mmCIF file of all heavy atoms in Angstrom:
data_model
loop_
_atom_site.group_PDB
_atom_site.id
_atom_site.type_symbol
_atom_site.label_atom_id
_atom_site.label_comp_id
_atom_site.label_asym_id
_atom_site.label_seq_id
_atom_site.Cartn_x
_atom_site.Cartn_y
_atom_site.Cartn_z
ATOM 1 N N PRO A 1164 0.803 -1.233 0.000
ATOM 2 C CA PRO A 1164 0.000 0.000 0.000
ATOM 3 C C PRO A 1164 0.828 1.273 0.000
ATOM 4 O O PRO A 1164 0.334 2.337 -0.390
ATOM 5 C CB PRO A 1164 -0.818 -0.119 1.294
ATOM 6 C CG PRO A 1164 -0.852 -1.582 1.592
ATOM 7 C CD PRO A 1164 0.464 -2.131 1.114
ATOM 8 N N ALA A 1165 2.090 1.186 0.403
ATOM 9 C CA ALA A 1165 2.950 2.367 0.413
ATOM 10 C C ALA A 1165 3.510 2.689 -0.971
ATOM 11 O O ALA A 1165 4.083 3.758 -1.179
ATOM 12 C CB ALA A 1165 4.096 2.166 1.403
ATOM 13 N N ILE A 1166 3.367 1.756 -1.935
ATOM 14 C CA ILE A 1166 3.876 1.964 -3.298
ATOM 15 C C ILE A 1166 2.705 1.836 -4.266
ATOM 16 O O ILE A 1166 2.405 0.749 -4.761
ATOM 17 C CB ILE A 1166 4.995 0.959 -3.640
ATOM 18 C CG1 ILE A 1166 6.118 1.028 -2.596
ATOM 19 C CG2 ILE A 1166 5.559 1.234 -5.027
ATOM 20 C CD1 ILE A 1166 7.207 -0.003 -2.804
ATOM 21 N N ARG A 1167 2.040 2.938 -4.533
ATOM 22 C CA ARG A 1167 0.819 2.917 -5.335
ATOM 23 C C ARG A 1167 1.089 2.922 -6.833
ATOM 24 O O ARG A 1167 0.161 3.000 -7.632
ATOM 25 C CB ARG A 1167 -0.062 4.108 -4.964
ATOM 26 C CG ARG A 1167 -0.637 4.026 -3.555
ATOM 27 C CD ARG A 1167 -1.725 2.966 -3.473
ATOM 28 N NE ARG A 1167 -2.259 2.804 -2.148
ATOM 29 C CZ ARG A 1167 -3.560 2.771 -1.856
ATOM 30 N NH1 ARG A 1167 -4.453 2.908 -2.822
ATOM 31 N NH2 ARG A 1167 -3.970 2.570 -0.628
ATOM 32 N N SER A 1168 2.348 2.843 -7.223
ATOM 33 C CA SER A 1168 2.670 2.750 -8.650
ATOM 34 C C SER A 1168 2.659 1.308 -9.133
ATOM 35 O O SER A 1168 2.753 1.054 -10.342
ATOM 36 C CB SER A 1168 4.040 3.366 -8.926
ATOM 37 O OG SER A 1168 5.062 2.633 -8.272
ATOM 38 N N VAL A 1169 2.570 0.358 -8.215
ATOM 39 C CA VAL A 1169 2.622 -1.065 -8.547
ATOM 40 C C VAL A 1169 1.289 -1.709 -8.206
ATOM 41 O O VAL A 1169 0.826 -1.630 -7.063
ATOM 42 C CB VAL A 1169 3.762 -1.767 -7.779
ATOM 43 C CG1 VAL A 1169 3.710 -3.265 -7.986
ATOM 44 C CG2 VAL A 1169 5.113 -1.217 -8.219
ATOM 45 N N ALA A 1170 0.682 -2.352 -9.207
ATOM 46 C CA ALA A 1170 -0.612 -3.001 -8.995
ATOM 47 C C ALA A 1170 -0.571 -4.432 -9.523
ATOM 48 O O ALA A 1170 0.019 -4.701 -10.574
ATOM 49 C CB ALA A 1170 -1.720 -2.224 -9.703
ATOM 50 N N PHE A 1171 -1.193 -5.334 -8.769
ATOM 51 C CA PHE A 1171 -1.405 -6.697 -9.254
ATOM 52 C C PHE A 1171 -2.534 -6.635 -10.284
ATOM 53 O O PHE A 1171 -3.698 -6.433 -9.926
ATOM 54 C CB PHE A 1171 -1.776 -7.628 -8.111
ATOM 55 C CG PHE A 1171 -0.618 -8.079 -7.253
ATOM 56 C CD1 PHE A 1171 -0.841 -8.539 -5.957
ATOM 57 C CD2 PHE A 1171 0.671 -8.081 -7.738
ATOM 58 C CE1 PHE A 1171 0.216 -8.972 -5.165
ATOM 59 C CE2 PHE A 1171 1.741 -8.513 -6.954
ATOM 60 C CZ PHE A 1171 1.506 -8.962 -5.666
ATOM 61 N N ILE A 1172 -2.203 -6.829 -11.540
ATOM 62 C CA ILE A 1172 -3.154 -6.468 -12.590
ATOM 63 C C ILE A 1172 -4.302 -7.448 -12.774
ATOM 64 O O ILE A 1172 -5.309 -7.095 -13.369
ATOM 65 C CB ILE A 1172 -2.443 -6.197 -13.934
ATOM 66 C CG1 ILE A 1172 -1.497 -7.329 -14.309
ATOM 67 C CG2 ILE A 1172 -1.692 -4.896 -13.873
ATOM 68 C CD1 ILE A 1172 -0.774 -7.100 -15.613
ATOM 69 N N LYS A 1173 -4.200 -8.651 -12.221
ATOM 70 C CA LYS A 1173 -5.359 -9.547 -12.347
ATOM 71 C C LYS A 1173 -6.558 -8.974 -11.590
ATOM 72 O O LYS A 1173 -7.707 -9.340 -11.877
ATOM 73 C CB LYS A 1173 -5.030 -10.940 -11.828
ATOM 74 C CG LYS A 1173 -5.029 -11.072 -10.326
ATOM 75 C CD LYS A 1173 -5.172 -12.528 -9.887
ATOM 76 C CE LYS A 1173 -5.527 -12.610 -8.416
ATOM 77 N NZ LYS A 1173 -5.835 -13.978 -7.980
ATOM 78 N N ASN A 1174 -6.277 -8.058 -10.652
ATOM 79 C CA ASN A 1174 -7.333 -7.501 -9.823
ATOM 80 C C ASN A 1174 -7.931 -6.215 -10.380
ATOM 81 O O ASN A 1174 -8.783 -5.608 -9.731
ATOM 82 C CB ASN A 1174 -6.794 -7.249 -8.407
ATOM 83 C CG ASN A 1174 -6.251 -8.520 -7.782
ATOM 84 O OD1 ASN A 1174 -6.890 -9.561 -7.819
ATOM 85 N ND2 ASN A 1174 -5.050 -8.450 -7.221
ATOM 86 N N CYS A 1175 -7.495 -5.797 -11.562
ATOM 87 C CA CYS A 1175 -8.065 -4.573 -12.134
ATOM 88 C C CYS A 1175 -8.513 -4.736 -13.580
ATOM 89 O O CYS A 1175 -9.058 -3.796 -14.153
ATOM 90 C CB CYS A 1175 -7.096 -3.399 -12.001
ATOM 91 S SG CYS A 1175 -5.475 -3.639 -12.748
ATOM 92 N N VAL A 1176 -8.301 -5.895 -14.193
ATOM 93 C CA VAL A 1176 -8.804 -6.086 -15.554
ATOM 94 C C VAL A 1176 -10.235 -6.620 -15.510
ATOM 95 O O VAL A 1176 -10.611 -7.349 -14.587
ATOM 96 C CB VAL A 1176 -7.906 -7.036 -16.384
ATOM 97 C CG1 VAL A 1176 -6.517 -6.467 -16.549
ATOM 98 C CG2 VAL A 1176 -7.848 -8.418 -15.757
ATOM 99 N N THR A 1177 -11.024 -6.247 -16.485
ATOM 100 C CA THR A 1177 -12.429 -6.677 -16.545
ATOM 101 C C THR A 1177 -12.731 -7.511 -17.779
ATOM 102 O O THR A 1177 -13.721 -8.238 -17.801
ATOM 103 C CB THR A 1177 -13.362 -5.452 -16.519
ATOM 104 O OG1 THR A 1177 -13.063 -4.610 -17.650
ATOM 105 C CG2 THR A 1177 -13.178 -4.649 -15.243
ATOM 106 N N ASN A 1178 -11.908 -7.398 -18.822
ATOM 107 C CA ASN A 1178 -12.159 -8.131 -20.060
ATOM 108 C C ASN A 1178 -11.851 -9.613 -19.853
ATOM 109 O O ASN A 1178 -10.723 -9.965 -19.487
ATOM 110 C CB ASN A 1178 -11.291 -7.565 -21.186
ATOM 111 C CG ASN A 1178 -11.672 -8.095 -22.553
ATOM 112 O OD1 ASN A 1178 -11.951 -9.279 -22.718
ATOM 113 N ND2 ASN A 1178 -11.682 -7.213 -23.538
ATOM 114 N N PRO A 1179 -12.819 -10.507 -20.087
ATOM 115 C CA PRO A 1179 -12.568 -11.938 -19.864
ATOM 116 C C PRO A 1179 -11.530 -12.538 -20.802
ATOM 117 O O PRO A 1179 -11.031 -13.639 -20.555
ATOM 118 C CB PRO A 1179 -13.943 -12.574 -20.087
ATOM 119 C CG PRO A 1179 -14.688 -11.606 -20.956
ATOM 120 C CD PRO A 1179 -14.194 -10.255 -20.542
ATOM 121 N N ASN A 1180 -11.178 -11.819 -21.869
ATOM 122 C CA ASN A 1180 -10.154 -12.304 -22.792
ATOM 123 C C ASN A 1180 -8.746 -11.851 -22.400
ATOM 124 O O ASN A 1180 -7.797 -12.078 -23.156
ATOM 125 C CB ASN A 1180 -10.472 -11.870 -24.217
ATOM 126 C CG ASN A 1180 -11.631 -12.670 -24.805
ATOM 127 O OD1 ASN A 1180 -11.961 -13.740 -24.306
ATOM 128 N ND2 ASN A 1180 -12.241 -12.150 -25.835
ATOM 129 N N ILE A 1181 -8.633 -11.195 -21.242
ATOM 130 C CA ILE A 1181 -7.324 -10.877 -20.668
ATOM 131 C C ILE A 1181 -7.192 -11.703 -19.399
ATOM 132 O O ILE A 1181 -7.933 -11.502 -18.435
ATOM 133 C CB ILE A 1181 -7.179 -9.383 -20.355
ATOM 134 C CG1 ILE A 1181 -7.389 -8.539 -21.611
ATOM 135 C CG2 ILE A 1181 -5.807 -9.100 -19.749
ATOM 136 C CD1 ILE A 1181 -7.355 -7.037 -21.351
ATOM 137 N N ILE A 1182 -6.276 -12.655 -19.408
ATOM 138 C CA ILE A 1182 -6.144 -13.611 -18.305
ATOM 139 C C ILE A 1182 -4.763 -13.426 -17.673
ATOM 140 O O ILE A 1182 -3.738 -13.577 -18.348
ATOM 141 C CB ILE A 1182 -6.322 -15.050 -18.818
ATOM 142 C CG1 ILE A 1182 -7.706 -15.196 -19.488
ATOM 143 C CG2 ILE A 1182 -6.145 -16.064 -17.694
ATOM 144 C CD1 ILE A 1182 -7.847 -16.447 -20.324
ATOM 145 N N ILE A 1183 -4.740 -13.088 -16.393
ATOM 146 C CA ILE A 1183 -3.503 -12.723 -15.705
ATOM 147 C C ILE A 1183 -3.293 -13.635 -14.503
ATOM 148 O O ILE A 1183 -4.216 -13.889 -13.727
ATOM 149 C CB ILE A 1183 -3.541 -11.262 -15.215
ATOM 150 C CG1 ILE A 1183 -3.994 -10.311 -16.334
ATOM 151 C CG2 ILE A 1183 -2.188 -10.852 -14.645
ATOM 152 C CD1 ILE A 1183 -3.026 -10.137 -17.450
ATOM 153 N N GLY A 1184 -2.066 -14.097 -14.301
ATOM 154 C CA GLY A 1184 -1.742 -14.944 -13.176
ATOM 155 C C GLY A 1184 -1.471 -14.165 -11.894
ATOM 156 O O GLY A 1184 -1.267 -12.950 -11.908
ATOM 157 N N ASP A 1185 -1.440 -14.880 -10.790
ATOM 158 C CA ASP A 1185 -1.161 -14.283 -9.477
ATOM 159 C C ASP A 1185 0.201 -13.607 -9.449
ATOM 160 O O ASP A 1185 1.164 -14.079 -10.064
ATOM 161 C CB ASP A 1185 -1.191 -15.358 -8.386
ATOM 162 C CG ASP A 1185 -2.592 -15.845 -8.070
ATOM 163 O OD1 ASP A 1185 -3.561 -15.182 -8.504
ATOM 164 O OD2 ASP A 1185 -2.721 -16.880 -7.385
ATOM 165 N N TYR A 1186 0.274 -12.508 -8.719
ATOM 166 C CA TYR A 1186 1.502 -11.770 -8.425
ATOM 167 C C TYR A 1186 2.079 -11.014 -9.619
ATOM 168 O O TYR A 1186 3.102 -10.320 -9.478
ATOM 169 C CB TYR A 1186 2.589 -12.673 -7.829
ATOM 170 C CG TYR A 1186 2.199 -13.323 -6.522
ATOM 171 C CD1 TYR A 1186 1.734 -14.639 -6.488
ATOM 172 C CD2 TYR A 1186 2.286 -12.626 -5.321
ATOM 173 C CE1 TYR A 1186 1.365 -15.238 -5.294
ATOM 174 C CE2 TYR A 1186 1.914 -13.220 -4.123
ATOM 175 C CZ TYR A 1186 1.457 -14.521 -4.112
ATOM 176 O OH TYR A 1186 1.083 -15.106 -2.927
ATOM 177 N N THR A 1187 1.491 -11.119 -10.775
ATOM 178 C CA THR A 1187 1.973 -10.346 -11.924
ATOM 179 C C THR A 1187 1.572 -8.892 -11.757
ATOM 180 O O THR A 1187 0.409 -8.598 -11.476
ATOM 181 C CB THR A 1187 1.413 -10.918 -13.232
ATOM 182 O OG1 THR A 1187 2.102 -12.138 -13.528
ATOM 183 C CG2 THR A 1187 1.580 -9.963 -14.401
ATOM 184 N N TYR A 1188 2.556 -7.988 -11.923
ATOM 185 C CA TYR A 1188 2.248 -6.580 -11.671
ATOM 186 C C TYR A 1188 2.601 -5.691 -12.856
ATOM 187 O O TYR A 1188 3.425 -6.026 -13.701
ATOM 188 C CB TYR A 1188 2.982 -6.079 -10.415
ATOM 189 C CG TYR A 1188 4.480 -5.905 -10.537
ATOM 190 C CD1 TYR A 1188 5.039 -4.769 -11.124
ATOM 191 C CD2 TYR A 1188 5.354 -6.864 -10.034
ATOM 192 C CE1 TYR A 1188 6.414 -4.591 -11.215
ATOM 193 C CE2 TYR A 1188 6.735 -6.696 -10.116
ATOM 194 C CZ TYR A 1188 7.254 -5.556 -10.710
ATOM 195 O OH TYR A 1188 8.619 -5.387 -10.804
ATOM 196 N N TYR A 1189 1.922 -4.543 -12.865
ATOM 197 C CA TYR A 1189 2.229 -3.469 -13.803
ATOM 198 C C TYR A 1189 2.704 -2.275 -12.986
ATOM 199 O O TYR A 1189 2.066 -1.888 -12.002
ATOM 200 C CB TYR A 1189 0.991 -3.108 -14.617
ATOM 201 C CG TYR A 1189 1.188 -1.961 -15.584
ATOM 202 C CD1 TYR A 1189 2.247 -1.974 -16.477
ATOM 203 C CD2 TYR A 1189 0.320 -0.877 -15.605
ATOM 204 C CE1 TYR A 1189 2.444 -0.921 -17.370
ATOM 205 C CE2 TYR A 1189 0.503 0.172 -16.495
ATOM 206 C CZ TYR A 1189 1.571 0.143 -17.374
ATOM 207 O OH TYR A 1189 1.762 1.183 -18.248
ATOM 208 N N ASP A 1190 3.828 -1.687 -13.390
ATOM 209 C CA ASP A 1190 4.440 -0.582 -12.668
ATOM 210 C C ASP A 1190 4.328 0.685 -13.496
ATOM 211 O O ASP A 1190 4.950 0.806 -14.554
ATOM 212 C CB ASP A 1190 5.909 -0.914 -12.383
ATOM 213 C CG ASP A 1190 6.613 0.153 -11.557
ATOM 214 O OD1 ASP A 1190 5.986 1.185 -11.253
ATOM 215 O OD2 ASP A 1190 7.791 -0.044 -11.221
ATOM 216 N N ASP A 1191 3.509 1.622 -13.022
ATOM 217 C CA ASP A 1191 3.301 2.875 -13.737
ATOM 218 C C ASP A 1191 2.959 3.945 -12.703
ATOM 219 O O ASP A 1191 1.936 3.847 -12.042
ATOM 220 C CB ASP A 1191 2.165 2.727 -14.746
ATOM 221 C CG ASP A 1191 1.999 3.931 -15.649
ATOM 222 O OD1 ASP A 1191 2.352 5.050 -15.218
ATOM 223 O OD2 ASP A 1191 1.517 3.761 -16.777
ATOM 224 N N PRO A 1192 3.799 4.957 -12.529
ATOM 225 C CA PRO A 1192 3.532 5.957 -11.494
ATOM 226 C C PRO A 1192 2.278 6.770 -11.736
ATOM 227 O O PRO A 1192 1.747 7.384 -10.805
ATOM 228 C CB PRO A 1192 4.783 6.860 -11.537
ATOM 229 C CG PRO A 1192 5.377 6.636 -12.884
ATOM 230 C CD PRO A 1192 5.066 5.219 -13.242
ATOM 231 N N ASP A 1193 1.780 6.773 -12.964
ATOM 232 C CA ASP A 1193 0.597 7.572 -13.277
ATOM 233 C C ASP A 1193 -0.709 6.809 -13.098
ATOM 234 O O ASP A 1193 -1.660 7.345 -12.533
ATOM 235 C CB ASP A 1193 0.686 8.104 -14.714
ATOM 236 C CG ASP A 1193 1.869 9.038 -14.903
ATOM 237 O OD1 ASP A 1193 2.131 9.830 -13.979
ATOM 238 O OD2 ASP A 1193 2.524 8.948 -15.946
ATOM 239 N N ASP A 1194 -0.740 5.555 -13.556
ATOM 240 C CA ASP A 1194 -2.039 4.871 -13.575
ATOM 241 C C ASP A 1194 -1.863 3.359 -13.702
ATOM 242 O O ASP A 1194 -2.247 2.769 -14.712
ATOM 243 C CB ASP A 1194 -2.860 5.413 -14.754
ATOM 244 C CG ASP A 1194 -4.322 5.033 -14.680
ATOM 245 O OD1 ASP A 1194 -4.735 4.517 -13.628
ATOM 246 O OD2 ASP A 1194 -5.039 5.252 -15.668
ATOM 247 N N PRO A 1195 -1.321 2.692 -12.688
ATOM 248 C CA PRO A 1195 -1.087 1.251 -12.823
ATOM 249 C C PRO A 1195 -2.378 0.434 -12.908
ATOM 250 O O PRO A 1195 -2.371 -0.670 -13.437
ATOM 251 C CB PRO A 1195 -0.302 0.903 -11.560
ATOM 252 C CG PRO A 1195 -0.732 1.916 -10.561
ATOM 253 C CD PRO A 1195 -0.919 3.179 -11.354
ATOM 254 N N GLU A 1196 -3.480 0.995 -12.415
ATOM 255 C CA GLU A 1196 -4.748 0.272 -12.439
ATOM 256 C C GLU A 1196 -5.340 0.200 -13.843
ATOM 257 O O GLU A 1196 -6.263 -0.576 -14.089
ATOM 258 C CB GLU A 1196 -5.767 0.938 -11.507
ATOM 259 C CG GLU A 1196 -5.282 1.173 -10.097
ATOM 260 C CD GLU A 1196 -4.601 2.527 -9.931
ATOM 261 O OE1 GLU A 1196 -4.274 3.165 -10.960
ATOM 262 O OE2 GLU A 1196 -4.370 2.933 -8.781
ATOM 263 N N ASN A 1197 -4.800 1.002 -14.759
ATOM 264 C CA ASN A 1197 -5.380 1.091 -16.104
ATOM 265 C C ASN A 1197 -4.618 0.239 -17.110
ATOM 266 O O ASN A 1197 -4.518 0.577 -18.286
ATOM 267 C CB ASN A 1197 -5.414 2.552 -16.563
ATOM 268 C CG ASN A 1197 -6.418 2.776 -17.676
ATOM 269 O OD1 ASN A 1197 -7.414 2.067 -17.793
ATOM 270 N ND2 ASN A 1197 -6.162 3.766 -18.496
ATOM 271 N N PHE A 1198 -4.085 -0.881 -16.657
ATOM 272 C CA PHE A 1198 -3.333 -1.777 -17.543
ATOM 273 C C PHE A 1198 -4.143 -2.157 -18.781
ATOM 274 O O PHE A 1198 -3.607 -2.256 -19.891
ATOM 275 C CB PHE A 1198 -2.945 -3.044 -16.780
ATOM 276 C CG PHE A 1198 -2.354 -4.113 -17.646
ATOM 277 C CD1 PHE A 1198 -1.015 -4.084 -18.003
ATOM 278 C CD2 PHE A 1198 -3.136 -5.159 -18.134
ATOM 279 C CE1 PHE A 1198 -0.461 -5.054 -18.824
ATOM 280 C CE2 PHE A 1198 -2.592 -6.140 -18.951
ATOM 281 C CZ PHE A 1198 -1.263 -6.083 -19.295
ATOM 282 N N GLU A 1199 -5.420 -2.360 -18.610
ATOM 283 C CA GLU A 1199 -6.266 -2.833 -19.714
ATOM 284 C C GLU A 1199 -6.237 -1.894 -20.918
ATOM 285 O O GLU A 1199 -6.377 -2.346 -22.063
ATOM 286 C CB GLU A 1199 -7.698 -2.998 -19.204
ATOM 287 C CG GLU A 1199 -8.570 -3.854 -20.075
ATOM 288 C CD GLU A 1199 -9.838 -4.290 -19.363
ATOM 289 O OE1 GLU A 1199 -9.873 -4.281 -18.117
ATOM 290 O OE2 GLU A 1199 -10.795 -4.650 -20.072
ATOM 291 N N ALA A 1200 -6.010 -0.615 -20.674
ATOM 292 C CA ALA A 1200 -5.939 0.349 -21.774
ATOM 293 C C ALA A 1200 -4.710 0.126 -22.642
ATOM 294 O O ALA A 1200 -4.642 0.634 -23.767
ATOM 295 C CB ALA A 1200 -5.922 1.774 -21.223
ATOM 296 N N HIS A 1201 -3.751 -0.645 -22.152
ATOM 297 C CA HIS A 1201 -2.526 -0.925 -22.907
ATOM 298 C C HIS A 1201 -2.659 -2.187 -23.771
ATOM 299 O O HIS A 1201 -1.690 -2.599 -24.406
ATOM 300 C CB HIS A 1201 -1.342 -1.064 -21.957
ATOM 301 C CG HIS A 1201 -1.058 0.197 -21.201
ATOM 302 N ND1 HIS A 1201 -0.161 1.142 -21.642
ATOM 303 C CD2 HIS A 1201 -1.571 0.676 -20.039
ATOM 304 C CE1 HIS A 1201 -0.128 2.148 -20.787
ATOM 305 N NE2 HIS A 1201 -0.967 1.891 -19.805
ATOM 306 N N VAL A 1202 -3.845 -2.772 -23.755
ATOM 307 C CA VAL A 1202 -4.149 -3.921 -24.615
ATOM 308 C C VAL A 1202 -5.051 -3.402 -25.727
ATOM 309 O O VAL A 1202 -6.242 -3.171 -25.516
ATOM 310 C CB VAL A 1202 -4.822 -5.048 -23.829
ATOM 311 C CG1 VAL A 1202 -5.037 -6.280 -24.716
ATOM 312 C CG2 VAL A 1202 -3.992 -5.415 -22.596
ATOM 313 N N GLU A 1203 -4.495 -3.203 -26.899
ATOM 314 C CA GLU A 1203 -5.193 -2.493 -27.963
ATOM 315 C C GLU A 1203 -5.747 -3.439 -29.023
ATOM 316 O O GLU A 1203 -5.144 -4.453 -29.345
ATOM 317 C CB GLU A 1203 -4.240 -1.481 -28.609
ATOM 318 C CG GLU A 1203 -3.709 -0.449 -27.609
ATOM 319 C CD GLU A 1203 -2.821 0.594 -28.253
ATOM 320 O OE1 GLU A 1203 -2.579 0.500 -29.482
ATOM 321 O OE2 GLU A 1203 -2.358 1.501 -27.533
ATOM 322 N N HIS A 1204 -6.921 -3.062 -29.552
ATOM 323 C CA HIS A 1204 -7.565 -3.787 -30.656
ATOM 324 C C HIS A 1204 -7.947 -5.221 -30.255
ATOM 325 O O HIS A 1204 -7.823 -6.150 -31.058
ATOM 326 C CB HIS A 1204 -6.663 -3.809 -31.902
ATOM 327 C CG HIS A 1204 -6.197 -2.452 -32.322
ATOM 328 N ND1 HIS A 1204 -7.015 -1.536 -32.921
ATOM 329 C CD2 HIS A 1204 -4.982 -1.858 -32.209
ATOM 330 C CE1 HIS A 1204 -6.333 -0.432 -33.178
ATOM 331 N NE2 HIS A 1204 -5.100 -0.602 -32.742
ATOM 332 N N LEU A 1205 -8.411 -5.382 -29.026
ATOM 333 C CA LEU A 1205 -8.885 -6.687 -28.563
ATOM 334 C C LEU A 1205 -10.405 -6.693 -28.692
ATOM 335 O O LEU A 1205 -11.114 -6.096 -27.881
ATOM 336 C CB LEU A 1205 -8.461 -6.920 -27.108
ATOM 337 C CG LEU A 1205 -8.906 -8.243 -26.471
ATOM 338 C CD1 LEU A 1205 -8.332 -9.434 -27.234
ATOM 339 C CD2 LEU A 1205 -8.484 -8.304 -25.009
ATOM 340 N N TYR A 1206 -10.904 -7.382 -29.730
ATOM 341 C CA TYR A 1206 -12.324 -7.344 -30.056
ATOM 342 C C TYR A 1206 -12.958 -8.714 -29.842
ATOM 343 O O TYR A 1206 -12.402 -9.743 -30.249
ATOM 344 C CB TYR A 1206 -12.528 -6.893 -31.507
ATOM 345 C CG TYR A 1206 -11.911 -5.547 -31.806
ATOM 346 C CD1 TYR A 1206 -11.078 -5.379 -32.902
ATOM 347 C CD2 TYR A 1206 -12.153 -4.456 -30.982
ATOM 348 C CE1 TYR A 1206 -10.505 -4.139 -33.179
ATOM 349 C CE2 TYR A 1206 -11.581 -3.218 -31.251
ATOM 350 C CZ TYR A 1206 -10.760 -3.068 -32.353
ATOM 351 O OH TYR A 1206 -10.186 -1.845 -32.619
#
């Protein structure tokens, strides 16, 4: 909780076609919770 730039991304994606394993993280000082926006053209 003291490092809000690091998020476990399986807990913030909503698209069922994005499947993330435990402990995998995205590190972004601006918006780590928005990992899904970095997956483009997934229809």
Side-chain angles (χ1 to χ4, degrees):
I1166 305 176
R1167 292 288 177 132
S1168 64
V1169 173
F1171 282 158
I1172 51 180
K1173 78 160 195 173
N1174 302 313
C1175 57
V1176 298
T1177 60
N1178 191 318
N1180 286 341
I1181 302 176
I1182 302 165
I1183 311 291
D1185 287 347
Y1186 299 99
T1187 286
Y1188 71 81
Y1189 178 52
D1190 183 357
D1191 187 332
D1193 297 321
D1194 194 10
E1196 308 90 346
N1197 201 28
F1198 171 82
E1199 198 165 339
H1201 297 267
V1202 184
E1203 300 183 358
H1204 307 287
L1205 179 61
Y1206 303 129

